[in-house]
Amino acid sequence: MSLATAPAPSFDKGLANTVAAETQMSFIDGGKGVLEYVGIDIDALARNSTFEETVFLLWNRRLPTAQELKSFTEGLRAEYDLPAGMLELIRTMPRDATPMHALRTLVSALALHDSEADAEGEDANARKAIRMLARTPALIAGFDRHRKGKPFVAPDRTLSMAANFLWMLNGAKPTDAVARALDVCLILHADHGLNASTFAGRVTISTLSDLYSAITTAIGTLKGPLHGGANEEVMIMLREIGSLDRVEPYIMERLARKDRIMGFGHRVYKAYDPRATYLKTFARQVAADTGNLALYEMSRRIEEIMAREVAAKGIYPNVDFYSATTYHSIGIDLDLFTCMFAMSRIAGWAGHCIEQLDGNRLIRPAAAYVGPHGQPWVPVSDR
Ligand code: COA
Protein backbone atom coordinates (compact mmCIF):
# COMPACT_ATOMS: atom_id res chain seq x y z
CA MET A 1 0.00 0.00 0.00
CA SER A 2 1.44 3.39 -0.93
CA LEU A 3 1.53 6.08 1.73
CA ALA A 4 -0.90 8.13 -0.35
CA THR A 5 -3.56 5.38 -0.15
CA ALA A 6 -2.93 4.34 3.48
CA PRO A 7 -6.05 4.69 5.65
CA ALA A 8 -6.20 7.71 7.96
CA PRO A 9 -4.80 6.77 11.38
CA SER A 10 -7.32 6.46 14.19
CA PHE A 11 -6.90 7.93 17.66
CA ASP A 12 -5.63 5.40 20.22
CA LYS A 13 -5.26 7.08 23.59
CA GLY A 14 -2.16 5.84 25.40
CA LEU A 15 -1.31 3.79 22.26
CA ALA A 16 -2.66 0.74 24.08
CA ASN A 17 -3.88 -0.86 20.84
CA THR A 18 -1.03 0.19 18.59
CA VAL A 19 1.81 -2.09 17.56
CA ALA A 20 4.67 0.32 16.91
CA ALA A 21 7.74 -1.92 16.61
CA GLU A 22 8.99 -5.46 16.11
CA THR A 23 11.30 -7.09 18.61
CA GLN A 24 13.01 -10.44 19.04
CA MET A 25 13.87 -9.85 22.68
CA SER A 26 10.86 -10.20 24.94
CA PHE A 27 7.42 -11.71 24.43
CA ILE A 28 4.52 -10.84 26.71
CA ASP A 29 1.11 -12.48 26.92
CA GLY A 30 -0.68 -10.20 29.34
CA GLY A 31 -3.83 -12.30 29.50
CA LYS A 32 -1.99 -15.47 30.49
CA GLY A 33 0.73 -13.76 32.53
CA VAL A 34 3.64 -14.91 30.38
CA LEU A 35 6.97 -13.16 29.86
CA GLU A 36 9.77 -14.73 27.84
CA TYR A 37 13.18 -13.38 26.92
CA VAL A 38 14.02 -14.81 23.48
CA GLY A 39 11.53 -17.60 24.10
CA ILE A 40 12.81 -18.56 27.57
CA ASP A 41 10.36 -18.20 30.45
CA ILE A 42 11.27 -15.42 32.87
CA ASP A 43 10.83 -17.76 35.82
CA ALA A 44 13.50 -20.14 34.47
CA LEU A 45 15.86 -17.21 33.96
CA ALA A 46 15.24 -15.77 37.43
CA ARG A 47 15.89 -19.16 39.03
CA ASN A 48 18.88 -20.27 36.99
CA SER A 49 20.52 -17.45 35.04
CA THR A 50 22.69 -14.47 35.92
CA PHE A 51 22.23 -10.88 34.79
CA GLU A 52 25.30 -11.09 32.55
CA GLU A 53 24.04 -14.25 30.84
CA THR A 54 20.58 -12.70 30.43
CA VAL A 55 22.05 -9.61 28.76
CA PHE A 56 24.00 -11.81 26.36
CA LEU A 57 20.75 -13.66 25.60
CA LEU A 58 18.85 -10.44 24.89
CA TRP A 59 21.57 -8.94 22.73
CA ASN A 60 22.50 -12.10 20.81
CA ARG A 61 19.11 -13.88 20.77
CA ARG A 62 20.63 -17.08 22.22
CA LEU A 63 22.28 -18.34 25.37
CA PRO A 64 26.09 -18.11 25.37
CA THR A 65 28.49 -21.03 25.52
CA ALA A 66 30.69 -21.10 28.63
CA GLN A 67 33.52 -19.46 26.68
CA GLU A 68 31.25 -16.78 25.20
CA LEU A 69 29.86 -15.96 28.63
CA LYS A 70 33.37 -15.68 30.03
CA SER A 71 34.53 -13.28 27.36
CA PHE A 72 31.29 -11.25 27.45
CA THR A 73 31.61 -10.91 31.23
CA GLU A 74 35.27 -9.93 30.93
CA GLY A 75 34.33 -7.33 28.32
CA LEU A 76 31.80 -5.79 30.68
CA ARG A 77 34.18 -5.81 33.63
CA ALA A 78 36.89 -4.14 31.55
CA GLU A 79 34.54 -1.15 31.25
CA TYR A 80 33.59 -0.86 34.95
CA ASP A 81 35.84 2.16 35.59
CA LEU A 82 34.54 5.69 35.06
CA PRO A 83 36.53 8.27 33.11
CA ALA A 84 38.17 10.69 35.61
CA GLY A 85 36.05 13.56 34.30
CA MET A 86 32.91 11.73 35.40
CA LEU A 87 34.11 11.52 38.99
CA GLU A 88 34.78 15.24 38.89
CA LEU A 89 31.30 15.89 37.56
CA ILE A 90 29.73 13.81 40.36
CA ARG A 91 31.65 15.91 42.90
CA THR A 92 30.02 19.07 41.54
CA MET A 93 26.48 17.76 41.87
CA PRO A 94 24.14 19.07 44.58
CA ARG A 95 24.01 16.52 47.37
CA ASP A 96 20.25 16.81 47.70
CA ALA A 97 19.61 16.12 44.00
CA THR A 98 17.08 13.39 43.21
CA PRO A 99 19.17 10.34 42.20
CA MET A 100 17.23 9.84 38.95
CA HIS A 101 18.02 13.43 37.94
CA ALA A 102 21.65 12.74 38.75
CA LEU A 103 21.64 9.45 36.84
CA ARG A 104 19.97 10.95 33.74
CA THR A 105 22.54 13.75 33.72
CA LEU A 106 25.48 11.41 34.28
CA VAL A 107 24.52 8.89 31.59
CA SER A 108 24.14 11.79 29.19
CA ALA A 109 27.56 13.11 30.25
CA LEU A 110 29.20 9.73 29.55
CA ALA A 111 28.90 10.67 25.86
CA LEU A 112 31.32 13.56 26.45
CA HIS A 113 34.01 11.04 27.36
CA ASP A 114 33.38 8.55 24.57
CA SER A 115 35.20 9.20 21.31
CA GLU A 116 32.67 6.86 19.65
CA ALA A 117 29.62 8.76 20.96
CA ASP A 118 28.45 9.66 17.46
CA ALA A 119 29.92 6.65 15.67
CA GLU A 120 27.34 4.81 13.60
CA GLY A 121 26.95 1.12 12.88
CA GLU A 122 26.01 -1.93 14.89
CA ASP A 123 29.54 -2.69 16.15
CA ALA A 124 30.06 0.83 17.52
CA ASN A 125 26.60 0.75 19.12
CA ALA A 126 27.32 -2.64 20.70
CA ARG A 127 30.51 -1.21 22.25
CA LYS A 128 28.63 1.84 23.52
CA ALA A 129 25.91 -0.39 24.95
CA ILE A 130 28.53 -2.36 26.91
CA ARG A 131 30.14 0.84 28.20
CA MET A 132 26.85 2.33 29.34
CA LEU A 133 25.70 -0.88 31.00
CA ALA A 134 29.07 -1.45 32.71
CA ARG A 135 29.47 2.13 33.97
CA THR A 136 25.97 2.89 35.21
CA PRO A 137 26.50 1.05 38.54
CA ALA A 138 29.54 3.24 39.23
CA LEU A 139 27.51 6.37 38.42
CA ILE A 140 24.75 5.45 40.86
CA ALA A 141 27.09 4.27 43.62
CA GLY A 142 29.39 7.26 43.05
CA PHE A 143 26.55 9.76 43.36
CA ASP A 144 25.25 8.06 46.50
CA ARG A 145 28.68 8.15 48.14
CA HIS A 146 29.18 11.77 47.12
CA ARG A 147 25.86 12.86 48.63
CA LYS A 148 26.73 11.06 51.86
CA GLY A 149 30.16 12.72 51.99
CA LYS A 150 31.97 9.40 51.55
CA PRO A 151 34.95 8.70 49.28
CA PHE A 152 34.37 6.87 45.99
CA VAL A 153 35.04 3.12 45.95
CA ALA A 154 36.83 1.87 42.83
CA PRO A 155 35.10 -1.00 40.99
CA ASP A 156 36.31 -4.55 41.50
CA ARG A 157 36.64 -6.43 38.23
CA THR A 158 36.53 -9.79 39.97
CA LEU A 159 32.89 -9.19 40.89
CA SER A 160 29.62 -9.61 39.00
CA MET A 161 27.71 -6.47 38.06
CA ALA A 162 25.37 -6.89 41.04
CA ALA A 163 28.12 -7.61 43.58
CA ASN A 164 30.36 -4.87 42.20
CA PHE A 165 27.56 -2.32 42.50
CA LEU A 166 26.97 -3.23 46.16
CA TRP A 167 30.72 -3.10 46.79
CA MET A 168 30.99 0.40 45.28
CA LEU A 169 27.85 1.52 47.13
CA ASN A 170 28.76 0.24 50.58
CA GLY A 171 32.54 -0.15 50.53
CA ALA A 172 32.04 -3.72 51.76
CA LYS A 173 31.69 -6.96 49.84
CA PRO A 174 28.09 -8.24 49.86
CA THR A 175 27.28 -11.79 50.93
CA ASP A 176 26.52 -14.16 48.07
CA ALA A 177 22.83 -14.18 49.06
CA VAL A 178 22.55 -10.38 48.98
CA ALA A 179 24.40 -10.11 45.65
CA ARG A 180 22.13 -12.83 44.24
CA ALA A 181 19.04 -10.93 45.41
CA LEU A 182 20.09 -7.90 43.38
CA ASP A 183 21.10 -10.13 40.47
CA VAL A 184 17.59 -11.63 40.35
CA CYS A 185 16.01 -8.14 40.37
CA LEU A 186 18.30 -7.11 37.51
CA ILE A 187 17.26 -10.18 35.48
CA LEU A 188 13.57 -9.47 36.05
CA HIS A 189 13.83 -5.83 34.95
CA ALA A 190 16.12 -6.25 31.94
CA ASP A 191 13.51 -6.00 29.19
CA HIS A 192 9.77 -5.73 28.83
CA GLY A 193 8.49 -5.21 25.32
CA LEU A 194 7.59 -1.74 24.17
CA ASN A 195 7.10 -0.19 27.60
CA ALA A 196 7.01 3.61 27.85
CA SER A 197 10.75 4.19 28.36
CA THR A 198 11.74 1.70 25.66
CA PHE A 199 9.33 3.33 23.26
CA ALA A 200 10.78 6.74 24.14
CA GLY A 201 14.32 5.45 23.51
CA ARG A 202 13.27 3.96 20.17
CA VAL A 203 11.67 7.26 19.14
CA THR A 204 14.93 9.08 19.85
CA ILE A 205 17.16 6.61 18.02
CA SER A 206 14.70 6.52 15.09
CA THR A 207 15.70 10.13 14.35
CA LEU A 208 19.25 8.74 13.88
CA SER A 209 20.36 10.47 17.05
CA ASP A 210 22.97 8.56 19.11
CA LEU A 211 22.67 5.78 21.68
CA TYR A 212 23.57 8.04 24.62
CA SER A 213 20.75 10.42 23.70
CA ALA A 214 18.31 7.52 23.34
CA ILE A 215 19.19 6.01 26.73
CA THR A 216 19.03 9.45 28.36
CA THR A 217 15.52 9.89 26.94
CA ALA A 218 14.55 6.48 28.28
CA ILE A 219 15.84 7.27 31.78
CA GLY A 220 13.77 10.45 31.89
CA THR A 221 10.69 8.45 30.90
CA LEU A 222 11.35 5.68 33.41
CA LYS A 223 11.39 8.20 36.25
CA GLY A 224 7.62 8.73 36.34
CA PRO A 225 5.55 7.09 39.11
CA LEU A 226 3.34 5.33 36.57
CA HIS A 227 6.43 3.53 35.27
CA GLY A 228 9.75 2.92 37.04
CA GLY A 229 9.03 5.30 39.90
CA ALA A 230 6.34 2.95 41.24
CA ASN A 231 8.82 0.87 43.28
CA GLU A 232 9.74 3.93 45.34
CA GLU A 233 6.06 4.73 45.83
CA VAL A 234 5.49 1.19 47.13
CA MET A 235 8.12 1.69 49.81
CA ILE A 236 6.73 5.12 50.73
CA MET A 237 3.31 3.50 51.13
CA LEU A 238 4.69 0.70 53.33
CA ARG A 239 6.39 3.28 55.54
CA GLU A 240 3.22 5.34 55.76
CA ILE A 241 1.24 2.27 56.81
CA GLY A 242 3.83 1.44 59.44
CA SER A 243 2.42 -1.79 60.90
CA LEU A 244 0.44 -4.87 59.95
CA ASP A 245 -2.71 -3.84 61.83
CA ARG A 246 -2.91 -0.57 59.90
CA VAL A 247 -2.84 -2.20 56.46
CA GLU A 248 -6.55 -2.91 56.14
CA PRO A 249 -7.88 0.58 57.04
CA TYR A 250 -5.16 2.29 54.97
CA ILE A 251 -5.85 0.31 51.80
CA MET A 252 -9.63 0.43 52.18
CA GLU A 253 -9.53 4.18 52.69
CA ARG A 254 -7.41 4.69 49.59
CA LEU A 255 -9.59 2.45 47.46
CA ALA A 256 -12.68 4.33 48.67
CA ARG A 257 -11.03 7.57 47.52
CA LYS A 258 -10.30 5.86 44.16
CA ASP A 259 -6.57 6.30 44.77
CA ARG A 260 -4.22 3.90 43.03
CA ILE A 261 -2.33 1.41 45.14
CA MET A 262 1.24 1.54 43.92
CA GLY A 263 2.79 -1.70 42.72
CA PHE A 264 -0.56 -3.00 41.46
CA GLY A 265 -2.02 -3.08 38.00
CA HIS A 266 -0.34 -3.11 34.63
CA ARG A 267 -1.19 -1.90 31.18
CA VAL A 268 -0.36 -5.28 29.68
CA TYR A 269 -0.85 -7.89 32.42
CA LYS A 270 -4.41 -8.65 33.33
CA ALA A 271 -3.19 -11.81 35.10
CA TYR A 272 -0.43 -12.14 37.73
CA ASP A 273 2.74 -10.37 36.55
CA PRO A 274 5.06 -13.33 35.88
CA ARG A 275 8.00 -11.31 37.21
CA ALA A 276 6.24 -11.01 40.54
CA THR A 277 5.53 -14.76 40.83
CA TYR A 278 9.08 -15.81 41.67
CA LEU A 279 9.96 -12.49 43.30
CA LYS A 280 7.18 -12.92 45.82
CA THR A 281 8.70 -16.14 47.21
CA PHE A 282 12.22 -14.87 46.77
CA ALA A 283 11.47 -11.56 48.56
CA ARG A 284 10.24 -13.52 51.58
CA GLN A 285 13.50 -15.45 51.76
CA VAL A 286 15.58 -12.29 51.44
CA ALA A 287 13.43 -10.50 54.03
CA ALA A 288 13.75 -13.42 56.46
CA ASP A 289 17.54 -13.64 55.97
CA THR A 290 17.96 -9.91 56.57
CA GLY A 291 15.48 -9.45 59.42
CA ASN A 292 12.91 -7.49 57.37
CA LEU A 293 9.94 -9.83 57.61
CA ALA A 294 7.59 -7.15 59.01
CA LEU A 295 7.59 -5.23 55.72
CA TYR A 296 7.11 -8.43 53.77
CA GLU A 297 4.15 -9.46 55.90
CA MET A 298 2.56 -6.06 55.29
CA SER A 299 3.04 -6.53 51.55
CA ARG A 300 1.37 -9.94 51.67
CA ARG A 301 -1.57 -8.45 53.58
CA ILE A 302 -1.95 -5.69 50.96
CA GLU A 303 -1.99 -8.34 48.26
CA GLU A 304 -4.72 -10.29 50.08
CA ILE A 305 -6.89 -7.19 50.41
CA MET A 306 -6.36 -6.21 46.78
CA ALA A 307 -7.25 -9.77 45.69
CA ARG A 308 -10.49 -9.49 47.66
CA GLU A 309 -11.33 -5.96 46.49
CA VAL A 310 -10.09 -5.43 42.93
CA ALA A 311 -8.74 -8.65 41.39
CA ALA A 312 -11.98 -8.84 39.35
CA LYS A 313 -10.62 -5.83 37.40
CA GLY A 314 -7.43 -7.73 36.57
CA ILE A 315 -5.37 -5.78 39.11
CA TYR A 316 -2.55 -7.89 40.55
CA PRO A 317 0.86 -7.05 42.02
CA ASN A 318 3.39 -6.01 39.41
CA VAL A 319 7.17 -6.43 39.48
CA ASP A 320 7.61 -3.24 41.51
CA PHE A 321 5.58 -4.49 44.42
CA TYR A 322 7.95 -7.15 45.69
CA SER A 323 11.12 -5.61 44.28
CA ALA A 324 10.56 -2.72 46.71
CA THR A 325 10.82 -4.98 49.77
CA THR A 326 13.73 -6.86 48.21
CA TYR A 327 15.73 -3.67 47.63
CA HIS A 328 14.93 -2.47 51.13
CA SER A 329 15.98 -5.81 52.62
CA ILE A 330 19.39 -5.65 50.95
CA GLY A 331 19.98 -2.14 52.26
CA ILE A 332 19.36 0.02 49.19
CA ASP A 333 18.01 3.47 49.97
CA LEU A 334 14.45 4.15 48.91
CA ASP A 335 15.33 6.93 46.49
CA LEU A 336 17.74 4.64 44.61
CA PHE A 337 15.09 2.04 43.74
CA THR A 338 14.28 3.50 40.32
CA CYS A 339 18.00 3.77 39.59
CA MET A 340 18.20 -0.01 40.17
CA PHE A 341 15.53 -0.45 37.54
CA ALA A 342 17.46 1.79 35.12
CA MET A 343 20.73 -0.05 35.80
CA SER A 344 19.10 -3.23 34.52
CA ARG A 345 16.83 -1.83 31.80
CA ILE A 346 19.78 -0.28 29.96
CA ALA A 347 20.17 -3.81 28.58
CA GLY A 348 16.67 -3.71 27.09
CA TRP A 349 16.86 -0.10 25.94
CA ALA A 350 20.16 -0.59 24.13
CA GLY A 351 18.97 -3.85 22.53
CA HIS A 352 15.78 -2.18 21.31
CA CYS A 353 17.66 0.81 19.90
CA ILE A 354 19.97 -1.47 17.94
CA GLU A 355 16.92 -3.39 16.67
CA GLN A 356 15.26 -0.10 15.70
CA LEU A 357 18.25 0.94 13.61
CA ASP A 358 18.04 -2.30 11.63
CA GLY A 359 15.55 -1.22 8.95
CA ASN A 360 14.80 2.03 10.76
CA ARG A 361 11.84 4.23 9.91
CA LEU A 362 11.31 7.52 11.76
CA ILE A 363 8.70 7.01 14.50
CA ARG A 364 6.32 9.88 14.08
CA PRO A 365 2.66 9.31 15.01
CA ALA A 366 -0.07 11.87 14.34
CA ALA A 367 -2.08 14.05 16.71
CA ALA A 368 -5.79 14.68 16.32
CA TYR A 369 -6.18 18.46 16.24
CA VAL A 370 -9.08 19.45 18.51
CA GLY A 371 -8.67 23.24 18.46
CA PRO A 372 -10.58 25.89 16.50
CA HIS A 373 -10.16 26.76 12.81
CA GLY A 374 -10.58 29.99 10.84
CA GLN A 375 -9.59 32.32 13.66
CA PRO A 376 -8.63 35.91 12.73
CA TRP A 377 -5.25 37.30 13.72
CA VAL A 378 -5.90 40.28 15.96
CA PRO A 379 -3.28 43.04 16.46
CA VAL A 380 -1.96 43.03 20.01
CA SER A 381 -3.40 46.51 20.68
CA ASP A 382 -6.91 45.15 20.02
CA ARG A 383 -6.74 42.01 22.21
N1 COA B 1 -4.91 0.49 42.33
C1 COA B 1 -6.26 0.52 42.31
N2 COA B 1 -6.98 0.49 41.18
C2 COA B 1 -6.32 0.41 40.02
C3 COA B 1 -4.91 0.37 39.97
C4 COA B 1 -4.21 0.40 41.18
N3 COA B 1 -2.87 0.36 41.21
N4 COA B 1 -4.52 0.31 38.69
C5 COA B 1 -5.64 0.33 37.95
N5 COA B 1 -6.71 0.40 38.76
C6 COA B 1 -8.12 0.42 38.33
C7 COA B 1 -8.46 1.79 37.75
O1 COA B 1 -8.90 2.67 38.75
C8 COA B 1 -9.53 1.42 36.75
O2 COA B 1 -10.73 1.21 37.47
P1 COA B 1 -12.15 1.66 36.85
O3 COA B 1 -12.29 0.84 35.59
O4 COA B 1 -13.14 1.32 37.91
O5 COA B 1 -12.03 3.13 36.58
C9 COA B 1 -9.09 0.06 36.21
O6 COA B 1 -8.27 -0.51 37.25
C10 COA B 1 -8.27 0.15 34.92
O7 COA B 1 -7.22 1.09 35.11
P2 COA B 1 -6.48 1.87 33.92
O8 COA B 1 -6.01 3.19 34.41
O9 COA B 1 -7.34 1.86 32.70
O10 COA B 1 -5.26 0.97 33.63
P3 COA B 1 -4.00 1.40 32.76
O11 COA B 1 -3.65 0.24 31.93
O12 COA B 1 -4.16 2.69 32.06
O13 COA B 1 -2.90 1.70 33.89
C11 COA B 1 -1.10 1.47 35.36
C12 COA B 1 -1.86 0.84 34.18
C13 COA B 1 0.15 0.64 35.62
C14 COA B 1 -0.66 2.90 35.00
C15 COA B 1 -2.01 1.48 36.60
O14 COA B 1 -2.41 0.16 36.92
C16 COA B 1 -1.36 2.16 37.80
O15 COA B 1 -1.43 3.38 37.93
N6 COA B 1 -0.70 1.36 38.71
C17 COA B 1 -0.01 1.92 39.84
C18 COA B 1 1.38 2.36 39.41
C19 COA B 1 2.31 1.19 39.17
O16 COA B 1 2.42 0.29 39.99
N7 COA B 1 3.05 1.26 38.04
C20 COA B 1 4.06 0.26 37.70
C21 COA B 1 3.69 -0.50 36.50
S1 COA B 1 4.89 -1.81 36.25
Side-chain angles (χ1 to χ4, degrees):
M1 188 177 1
S2 83
L3 286 180
T5 58
S10 57
F11 182 35
D12 176 16
K13 194 171 183 184
L15 303 184
N17 297 303
T18 298
V19 177
E22 290 184 318
T23 181
Q24 295 179 32
M25 293 199 295
S26 54
F27 166 78
I28 304 166
D29 183 333
K32 294 195 182 121
V34 172
L35 170 63
E36 294 170 348
Y37 291 168
V38 196
I40 301 178
D41 194 80
I42 192 65
D43 200 68
L45 290 167
R47 285 174 198 277
N48 305 307
S49 189
T50 60
F51 181 58
E52 285 79 353
E53 183 184 69
T54 299
V55 177
F56 184 100
L57 170 70
L58 288 169
W59 288 358
N60 296 280
R61 323 284 189 257
R62 62 180 176 82
L63 289 169
T65 62
Q67 185 52 43
E68 283 171 333
L69 181 58
K70 183 168 178 285
S71 65
F72 182 71
T73 304
E74 281 168 3
L76 270 172
R77 293 181 184 187
E79 300 287 355
Y80 275 176
D81 283 286
L82 292 178
M86 291 302 301
L87 296 174
E88 273 159 40
L89 177 60
I90 294 174
R91 283 194 193 98
T92 67
M93 294 183 118
R95 293 191 164 164
D96 60 353
T98 302
M100 279 296 279
H101 282 305
L103 180 62
R104 189 194 58 243
T105 306
L106 290 167
V107 168
S108 179
L110 280 176
L112 309 177
H113 301 277
D114 188 339
S115 58
E116 286 197 300
D118 285 313
E120 293 171 12
E122 199 168 325
D123 290 347
N125 280 327
R127 288 191 291 275
K128 284 184 268 186
I130 285 184
R131 277 179 216 132
M132 264 186 268
L133 186 72
R135 291 175 180 176
T136 296
L139 298 177
I140 301 167
F143 175 71
D144 190 62
R145 296 202 54 100
H146 160 69
R147 69 177 175 162
K148 291 176 176 159
K150 295 178 179 170
F152 296 134
V153 176
D156 182 336
R157 291 183 182 181
T158 66
L159 298 176
S160 69
M161 280 201 46
N164 178 51
F165 169 72
L166 293 164
W167 156 245
M168 291 185 293
L169 186 74
N170 300 322
K173 300 274 162 73
T175 63
D176 288 348
V178 164
R180 178 63 186 153
L182 180 58
D183 197 47
V184 167
C185 289
L186 296 180
I187 292 170
L188 294 174
H189 286 88
D191 191 43
H192 204 237
L194 201 61
N195 57 88
S197 55
T198 300
F199 178 59
R202 282 186 87 131
V203 170
T204 300
I205 206 77
S206 85
T207 69
L208 301 185
S209 183
D210 67 288
L211 200 59
Y212 285 100
S213 299
I215 303 286
T216 305
T217 303
I219 294 174
T221 307
L222 183 74
K223 179 173 171 288
L226 296 189
H227 190 8
N231 53 16
E232 295 185 14
E233 300 291 333
V234 171
M235 198 62 217
I236 291 169
M237 174 176 74
L238 290 170
R239 283 195 177 155
E240 262 173 30
I241 297 175
S243 60
L244 195 57
D245 58 313
R246 294 192 51 210
V247 172
E248 175 98 24
Y250 180 96
I251 297 295
M252 293 309 288
E253 194 186 308
R254 287 190 74 156
L255 288 177
R257 285 203 314 256
K258 301 233 173 278
D259 283 354
R260 304 240 157 161
I261 307 301
M262 289 293 139
F264 282 81
H266 199 276
R267 170 58 60 80
V268 179
Y269 295 118
K270 300 305 169 198
Y272 211 94
D273 182 336
R275 300 166 298 176
T277 313
Y278 176 61
L279 199 54
K280 176 171 152 179
T281 324
F282 188 72
R284 188 187 185 286
Q285 187 59 48
V286 178
D289 290 350
T290 54
N292 286 289
L293 265 181
L295 273 184
Y296 181 82
E297 297 301 348
M298 280 162 57
S299 307
R300 290 284 298 119
R301 186 78 194 107
I302 297 172
E303 188 183 342
E304 282 164 18
I305 298 168
M306 291 295 278
R308 189 185 73 208
E309 299 295 327
V310 295
K313 287 188 194 172
I315 309 290
Y316 298 95
N318 56 49
V319 68
D320 293 314
F321 191 60
Y322 286 107
S323 58
T325 37
T326 307
Y327 291 144
H328 176 78
S329 297
I330 63 173
I332 291 172
D333 285 350
L334 160 67
D335 63 356
L336 293 182
F337 287 9
T338 314
C339 293
M340 299 297 97
F341 192 155
M343 189 162 104
S344 161
R345 188 56 63 83
I346 285 183
W349 292 329
H352 272 268
C353 287
I354 292 170
E355 273 189 326
Q356 177 66 33
L357 289 172
D358 184 12
N360 179 55
R361 184 157 190 238
L362 176 72
I363 299 176
R364 202 296 189 192
Y369 176 70
V370 293
H373 292 282
Q375 299 293 299
W377 180 82
V378 181
V380 70
S381 55
D382 297 343
R383 287 177 220 159

